[in-house]
Amino acid sequence: MSHTGFPSTSRARAVLPSRSRAALPDDLQHIPWLAALDAEERARALADLRVVQVDAGELICRVGRPVTYWFGLVDGLLKMSNDSASPTGTGIPITFTGLSSGGWFGEGTVLKNEVYRYNIQALRKSVVAGIPAETFHWLLGRSIGFNRFVMNQLNERLGQFIAAREIDRLSQPDARVARSLAALFHPVLYPGVGEVLRITQQEMGYLVGLSRQRVNEALAALQAAGVISVEYGGVRVLDLERLRSYRPA
DNA sequence: TCATTAAATTGTT
DNA sequence: AACAATTTAATGA
């Protein structure tokens, strides 16, 4: 278990044949920045692109490990958290944010060539893609479209973290659930999310920091308000704007 | 493809 | 935290 990402060289591909595969055409539809590249750039990106499937609970990257890849979530659900287990950590487990389909992350760490400062863990069975840090830098150095994408990504994520601070100060559980959900539906950061997000109420509890029961209650309230509809194993957003600005009655 | 069973998820107490 | 009800996933005929 605890498979921690990609082999560090492409030669190692043969070592993990069952876990790692070439990108399927269907996956590529879900990689937003590919469209910004020219033919040559896209050719190299695709050649270096790795795709793996991870099971629920697996770590994609772990605090302290050297950066090898810039990651993107093709399908599934991930969470970003601190390292509560290690003796160097604060001891308090904190989930910083959830990541949904279409999201690419770790660019800050890759840019500075540091070690990862957080754990990325799969909340459910997911498909994760990645390009080597080297390729990332190569693209940054020559593709304006790619730079735009990364810059936009950084900017939007900054906005998300600011919003996350607000969410933390909200005491009203329904509103917290509403905002956190809205964050996972962010159209720029997570273009791959349709109108339904596959997430269990348990997972949402971990993400928001509430009990499953309370999440269940909050979702019922949001559904009653007409902003979402609750489905088995997921949530459908009916009105993203109202969800984002939800105030309990 | 369908029926049966196990597992996952939800709704309630 | 525990429980029952419901939905999905897996299995094999």
Side-chain angles (χ1 to χ4, degrees):
Chain A
M1 18 175 267
S2 79
H3 170 58
T4 55
F6 302 113
S8 50
T9 72
S10 59
R11 211 175 320 118
R13 167 181 217 146
V15 180
L16 295 168
S18 60
R19 306 305 304 269
S20 141
R21 58 178 172 82
L24 303 172
D26 189 51
D27 296 330
L28 304 184
Q29 295 292 107
H30 300 286
I31 299 179
W33 47 266
L34 274 181
L37 307 182
D38 68 28
E40 188 189 342
E41 292 155 0
R42 186 176 306 126
R44 169 157 180 190
L46 288 179
D48 294 349
L49 188 72
R50 310 294 319 287
V51 179
V52 293
Q53 180 156 129
V54 297
D55 288 327
E58 284 193 67
L59 289 170
I60 315 305
C61 53
R62 167 176 284 161
V63 170
R65 296 191 110 231
V67 170
T68 48
Y69 277 86
W70 181 52
F71 293 104
L73 178 58
V74 174
D75 186 50
L77 186 67
L78 310 179
K79 73 166 180 182
M80 181 185 295
S81 62
N82 71 340
D83 189 10
S84 60
S86 116
T88 59
T90 60
I92 312 166
I94 302 173
T95 296
F96 296 125
T97 183
L99 299 160
S100 39
S101 300
W104 284 73
F105 51 92
E107 63 278 340
T109 313
V110 173
L111 277 171
K112 289 185 285 186
N113 230 299
E114 293 178 329
V115 297
Y116 291 113
R117 289 179 311 215
Y118 36 72
N119 289 328
I120 301 282
Q121 188 176 27
L123 285 177
R124 65 182 321 124
K125 194 171 173 187
S126 303
V127 178
V128 177
I131 58 170
E134 200 177 290
T135 310
F136 178 83
H137 281 114
W138 181 79
L139 286 171
L140 264 192
R142 66 170 278 164
S143 168
I144 291 188
F146 189 76
N147 276 275
R148 263 202 210 100
F149 178 87
V150 172
M151 200 177 295
N152 196 246
Q153 184 91 3
L154 285 168
N155 187 43
E156 292 289 350
R157 203 190 305 290
L158 177 61
Q160 275 225 318
F161 276 106
I162 290 173
R165 291 208 55 179
E166 273 183 26
I167 293 175
D168 274 341
R169 309 223 168 172
L170 293 174
S171 47
Q172 223 298 317
D174 293 7
R176 294 185 51 152
V177 171
R179 300 256 198 135
S180 300
L181 251 186
L184 288 175
F185 276 94
H186 193 297
V188 176
L189 287 177
Y190 310 121
V193 184
E195 52 185 9
V196 286
L197 176 65
R198 292 263 300 162
I199 183 173
T200 66
Q201 300 178 3
Q202 177 71 75
E203 290 164 350
M204 207 174 299
Y206 288 136
L207 229 51
V208 185
L210 295 171
S211 70
R212 183 178 70 78
Q213 290 93 324
R214 193 58 189 82
V215 168
N216 182 267
E217 198 181 326
L219 289 178
L222 294 175
Q223 184 173 40
V227 294
I228 64 170
S229 74
V230 179
E231 300 181 0
Y232 184 88
V235 173
R236 177 184 301 272
V237 167
L238 303 175
D239 189 335
L240 185 54
E241 270 317 304
R242 282 212 292 143
L243 178 63
R244 197 171 275 135
S245 59
Y246 177 84
R247 300 275 183 289

